Amino acid sequence: MISRRNLLAAAAAGAALPLAAPGVLRAQTRDLRLGLITPPGHPWNTTAQKIGEVLKEKTGGKLTMTVFHAGQLGNEGAMMQQLQTGALDLAFLQAAEVGNRVPNVAAILAPYVVRSTEACAKLVRQPIAMRMLEPLPKETGTIGLAWGITTIRVVMSAKEITGISGLNGMKLRINTTPAFRDFYSLLGAAPTPIPTPQVFDALANGQVDGLEADLDLCWNQRFDKVSKVLMRMNAVFMPMVALASGRAWQSLSSEDRALITAATKEALDIQIDNTVTDEPKLLKNFEGTEIKIIVPPEADAAPIIAEYDKIWTPKAPILPELRKIGATLG
């Protein structure tokens, strides 16, 4: 049985030691397994591979990592279960999956907590972000090592719309997390869950009228080819939590835990900075297509925020504090 005290002690030990911890001669090699749902080429995948390279280099090949891309190990719920049993060592899971189990984590998905990708990058580096992960050992049997981000999410519409009101009545493919479902439902959309590989065809054949996603995914999947409008709502973003299995963590030496923790944080710091830098490039890519890009007025958001918070503040009491901090980040 893994006790909360042991998990918390293991997490603290991993977080406290520096990347340059004294090397030790490992009696045997170990290949860590990391799972994630994004496809090869996505920034999260590139980051995961970089962590593996650092671990291999720092340990002379004694500690390596295999990255399982694109949901090869199942969906995020399945990977969470694998982390809990120790069948999976590490995973990059969206805050939606973690928030389904720890509602305060879901607060970071609330609309208009921040209103730009740059502000997203600042928010996940605030002390409150790591504090939100402190209950994970007790609630999920996992340890939160660090945050990653994507660009703030946009809506791609296959029909002409001119603003937020255009979402009313739209069949909108969304991430199925309740935090997003409630937001888009308040806007009058009909949230429609469809697996990512099927979204392009669903837009093309009219099964859905649009989708919401980050810019990286939208460009990677070339949703502009089946959309007429890209609406930059500047409303929600989907960060990622780098998780370690509590069971696997206990089986690692303190030096290995320190190395993994520091390598993960350093790689995700770079990923966060690159996401901010790359956003203008992605927008320029879209500007070079036939798609129309619109930015609705910020004033349209106020009524939605009030209604949303009536639903979510009782579930996620940290939300008001998160909003106060977000308002200072630009």
Side-chain angles (χ1 to χ4, degrees), residues 101-130:
R101 292 164 170 77
V102 184
N104 261 346
V105 173
I108 206 167
L109 306 174
Y112 304 106
V113 166
V114 291
R115 305 192 185 208
S116 69
T117 299
E118 186 175 6
C120 297
K122 294 176 182 177
L123 181 62
V124 297
R125 286 167 165 155
Q126 297 294 308
I128 193 174
M130 290 307 296

Side-chain angles (χ1 to χ4, degrees), residues 1 13 111 161 296:
M1 178 70 68
I161 58 173

Side-chain angles (χ1 to χ4, degrees), residues 194-227:
I194 293 176
T196 298
Q198 301 173 24
V199 174
F200 189 98
D201 288 342
L203 270 172
N205 64 29
Q207 185 179 352
V208 292
D209 303 313
L211 76 143
E212 62 84 37
D214 62 83
L215 284 169
D216 285 292
L217 182 65
C218 290
W219 182 252
N220 181 281
Q221 301 294 308
R222 293 308 306 268
F223 291 136
D224 60 288
K225 293 185 177 295
V226 286
S227 302

Side-chain angles (χ1 to χ4, degrees), residues 85-105:
T85 64
L88 184 61
D89 301 296
L90 303 160
F92 285 180
L93 299 189
Q94 295 178 99
E97 182 61 37
V98 183
N100 287 342
R101 292 164 170 77
V102 184
N104 261 346
V105 173

